[in-house]
Amino acid sequence: MDIIKIYDNSDKLYYIGGVVRDKLLGVESFDIDITCIGNAIEYCAKFGKVIQENPEFGTIRVEVDGRAVDFASTRSEVYEKKGHLPVVTKIGCTLKEDVMRRDFTINALAMNVSTGEIVDYTGGLKDLKNKKLRVLHDGSFVDDPTRIIRGLKFRVRFGFELEEHTRHLQEDYLKNINYDMSYKRVKKELIETFNLNSQHAFEIFVNEGIYKLVSPAEFKLPEVNIENLIKKYPVKNIWPVYVGLLPDLSRLEFTKEERKIIEDFRSIGSVKTDFEIYKAFDGLAAESILLYGIAKNMNAAVRYLDVLCGIKISLSGNDLLKLGIEPSPKYQEIFDYILREKLKNPALTHDDEIQLAKEYFTVN
Ligand code: ATP
């Protein structure tokens, strides 16, 4: 049962977490994690070219067989500050202790690298078979609320359900959220979840109140099917088209590009005519336009994306100079006039535009 070619008969190495889950589900894994009972940095450097080491966590990334493999020393952790990164209490603990720090039983399976034997301390195999997500202990979401979003991601990605007690624990946590948490990790999980472009994920996110982890005020599910909208109008950044709808985003740290998407969307006022739509949307990211469509006026967004965005005036400042018109605020007036005309009649040629500019200038 080879995932990657590693020649080792020590019984120290176990595939762990997502890679085992994915192997058993028959889906491709994004990354390969191996836990090493003892010290991974000392033991695992021999398997290939070392890419990176992190002594604080006892981890080492090695290129094996052309793939980056993350080897981690078995470790136990405690959440001294709930909602924040855990503190490592022991590096080189038992496999069982290492497994117990994980999020769901399906992510707590280990597979012996040399024999392929599965080690299942938490009932992960049964849950995998029954398509259930089950946390390992009652304080799991209190320790790390990002697990609620991770749960959502796995529910959607694999078609799993929360096991009943875990669902109650989620409900309880969402009634009493501790907002002092690491939003960097929350953001990472939101990105991974909503980049799946799943309406189903968004419905769960809203209907179960998971969004309250980010934005506490009541939020209603928009009527638009965002998944279909994005399929029709593909965007570079999918996740902000979902998460950007929440009223309070102050806890998330955005990149410049993401911030602009949200700010542009929020600053668009009401638009009615083609001219107003064009002026409001021209130059904005498609993400902002979709957000506006979902939250405020879908007809305007679709009108722009289907028709208006393809219309451009060809008249330039140079053309106006050549007509003997001195540069002044009048230029903008003329461009706007030509734009209005072009939106009414997109077939206007460059010569038509020059003719219209001349006429406009003479009359005004
Ligand atoms: P993906 O396929 O999305 O990468 P994954 O399960 O491999 O899923 P990672 O984020 O790479 O997810 O994490 C690897 C493993 O680390 C998980 O399978 C799980 O065992 C553990 N893990 C990750 N995040 C947490 C968390 N917040 N709490 C507890 N354990 C976690």
Side-chain angles (χ1 to χ4, degrees), residues 16-19 21-22 29-31 33 77 79 101-104 106-108 144 146-147 150 153-154 157-158 185 188-189 192:
I16 191 91
V19 65
R21 174 201 69 213
D22 292 344
S29 233
F30 298 133
D31 20 60
D33 291 311
E77 299 172 336
Y79 286 81
R101 69 181 168 84
R102 294 173 186 273
D103 51 359
F104 299 102
I106 63 159
N107 289 340
D144 180 359
T146 63
R147 291 172 181 163
R150 284 177 63 78
K153 175 177 78 176
F154 296 124
R157 203 197 294 161
F158 302 127
R185 302 170 78 205
K188 176 178 169 283
E189 295 302 335
E192 288 183 15

